[in-house]
Amino acid sequence: MINLTETDTFAIFKMPDDNTIYFVRQFLPSDNNFKESSLKKSGFVIYPFDIESNKAIFINADEILIDPFFNITITKNTELQSTTIEEYTDISKKIIAVLDDKYYKIVHSKIKVLKNEGADIYKLYKRLAKKNKNAFVFLFNTPETGLWMGATPEKLLTAKNNKFETIALAGTQYINANSEVTWNEKDISEQKIVMEYLENILKESDIEFKKNGPYTKIASRNENMNLVHLATDYKFSTEKTLYNLLLKLHPTPAT
């Protein structure tokens, strides 16, 4: 049993289509800033959407374990407050007002605070990993970020011996496993935006690529239902700096 608290710096994750759960923990002092030299080490990157307001963090893998059994004790309460109906409606009206003139699509989320005193985080993570076998399922904690858990089918970049893969993923349906998938114009156009974004970056970087898609990709299975997305795979080889390419790709319009 690994006993963890909110003062520990660690990450727990599993890769898509792989049941192996990895645990990395940092023991030694570090500035934890993600930089080009970080890619020469083993570790876990936490990269925010708004890099001007939040720094990118690198968790050094001073310890690496496989399929850990852990317990996490959290005593710090969140300072977040649930979004009220009035707040959500007000922001929605402002978004609608600028959509036609400036933006094509904006994803507007809300906060819902739930009391989870005594929640078994180990069981929650295992349930999430079991439900999302085709996704990257993560759980990380640092004193700066707090504890985060989630699952995503989106792959930013896979690299091995100068061979790379990335994916344009957009459009979502939750359908019966035995049903045929039909994509509407909205889903197709939104996925095309991500495709064009990735292709423009690769072309601007003088990188030749091969693509496969669009096709229907299963993100997760739940009993007789499938969560599916429209996807296009990109494969390429390059000698260019991986760090610079990562900074250009993240975040894609789908993330």
Side-chain angles (χ1 to χ4, degrees), residues 50-104:
D50 184 3
I51 195 62
E52 294 182 0
S53 302
N54 302 280
K55 73 173 185 177
I57 293 176
F58 182 76
I59 299 177
N60 289 283
D62 297 327
E63 177 184 44
I64 303 176
L65 299 174
I66 305 295
D67 293 325
F69 181 46
F70 57 88
N71 177 63
I72 301 176
T73 302
I74 301 294
T75 58
K76 190 185 299 181
N77 292 322
T78 178
E79 297 177 358
L80 296 174
Q81 299 293 325
S82 294
T83 306
T84 65
I85 295 177
E86 292 76 18
E87 289 171 336
Y88 191 81
T89 302
D90 182 56
I91 295 174
S92 297
K93 289 179 180 178
K94 293 177 181 178
I95 289 173
I96 293 171
V98 301
L99 270 178
D100 291 337
D101 297 331
K102 196 171 182 180
Y103 302 100
Y104 173 76

Side-chain angles (χ1 to χ4, degrees), residues 9 11 17-18 30 32 40 51 67 81 94 149 156 172:
T9 299
D17 305 310
D18 187 352
S30 171
N32 288 114
K40 298 178 181 179
I51 195 62
D67 293 325
Q81 299 293 325
K94 293 177 181 178
M149 185 189 305
L156 182 63
T172 305

Side-chain angles (χ1 to χ4, degrees), residues 6-233:
E6 59 211 11
T7 62
D8 290 309
T9 299
F10 65 88
I12 298 163
F13 60 93
K14 82 163 203 68
M15 305 301 288
D17 305 310
D18 187 352
N19 294 326
T20 305
I21 295 175
Y22 299 90
F23 170 84
V24 298
R25 177 162 45 170
Q26 178 178 304
F27 289 115
L28 302 177
S30 171
D31 61 13
N32 288 114
N33 290 318
F34 175 61
K35 43 190 175 289
E36 188 168 357
S37 60
S38 302
L39 297 177
K40 298 178 181 179
K41 308 173 185 177
S42 296
F44 188 91
V45 181
I46 306 167
Y47 205 98
F49 292 145
D50 184 3
I51 195 62
E52 294 182 0
S53 302
N54 302 280
K55 73 173 185 177
I57 293 176
F58 182 76
I59 299 177
N60 289 283
D62 297 327
E63 177 184 44
I64 303 176
L65 299 174
I66 305 295
D67 293 325
F69 181 46
F70 57 88
N71 177 63
I72 301 176
T73 302
I74 301 294
T75 58
K76 190 185 299 181
N77 292 322
T78 178
E79 297 177 358
L80 296 174
Q81 299 293 325
S82 294
T83 306
T84 65
I85 295 177
E86 292 76 18
E87 289 171 336
Y88 191 81
T89 302
D90 182 56
I91 295 174
S92 297
K93 289 179 180 178
K94 293 177 181 178
I95 289 173
I96 293 171
V98 301
L99 270 178
D100 291 337
D101 297 331
K102 196 171 182 180
Y103 302 100
Y104 173 76
K105 176 184 177 182
I106 298 175
V107 178
H108 177 29
S109 60
K110 62 182 178 180
I111 298 171
K112 185 173 183 178
V113 177
L114 301 174
K115 290 185 178 180
N116 268 327
E117 296 179 2
D120 191 325
I121 298 175
Y122 172 81
K123 288 184 178 179
L124 286 174
Y125 178 82
K126 294 287 285 187
R127 283 172 56 192
L128 189 65
K130 184 178 180 180
K131 186 177 180 180
N132 295 273
K133 294 182 179 180
N134 304 92
F136 176 73
V137 185
F138 61 88
L139 167 67
F140 66 79
N141 183 81
T142 75
E144 298 99 326
T145 64
L147 184 73
W148 291 73
M149 185 189 305
T152 175
E154 297 176 48
K155 175 171 62 178
L156 182 63
L157 193 67
T158 299
K160 186 176 182 181
N161 299 327
N162 292 327
K163 294 186 182 298
F164 301 86
E165 295 181 19
T166 188
I167 188 171
L169 200 70
T172 305
Q173 290 190 51
Y174 194 52
I175 62 169
N176 189 288
N178 299 318
S179 301
E180 285 192 21
V181 182
T182 302
W183 295 101
N184 59 36
E185 185 177 341
K186 172 182 175 293
D187 292 322
I188 294 171
S189 62
E190 289 181 359
Q191 202 263 345
K192 186 179 179 182
I193 291 173
V194 189
M195 288 173 55
E196 291 175 344
Y197 176 85
L198 293 178
E199 290 175 17
N200 286 337
I201 288 176
L202 296 175
K203 289 174 182 176
E204 289 170 0
S205 302
D206 294 322
I207 295 174
E208 295 184 359
F209 57 86
K210 294 180 180 180
K211 72 176 182 178
N212 173 44
Y215 66 94
T216 299
K217 182 179 179 65
I218 297 175
S220 66
R221 294 182 171 91
N222 184 17
E223 296 180 352
N224 65 332
M225 301 294 289
N226 288 340
L227 180 66
V228 297
H229 300 285
L230 256 181
T232 301
D233 297 324

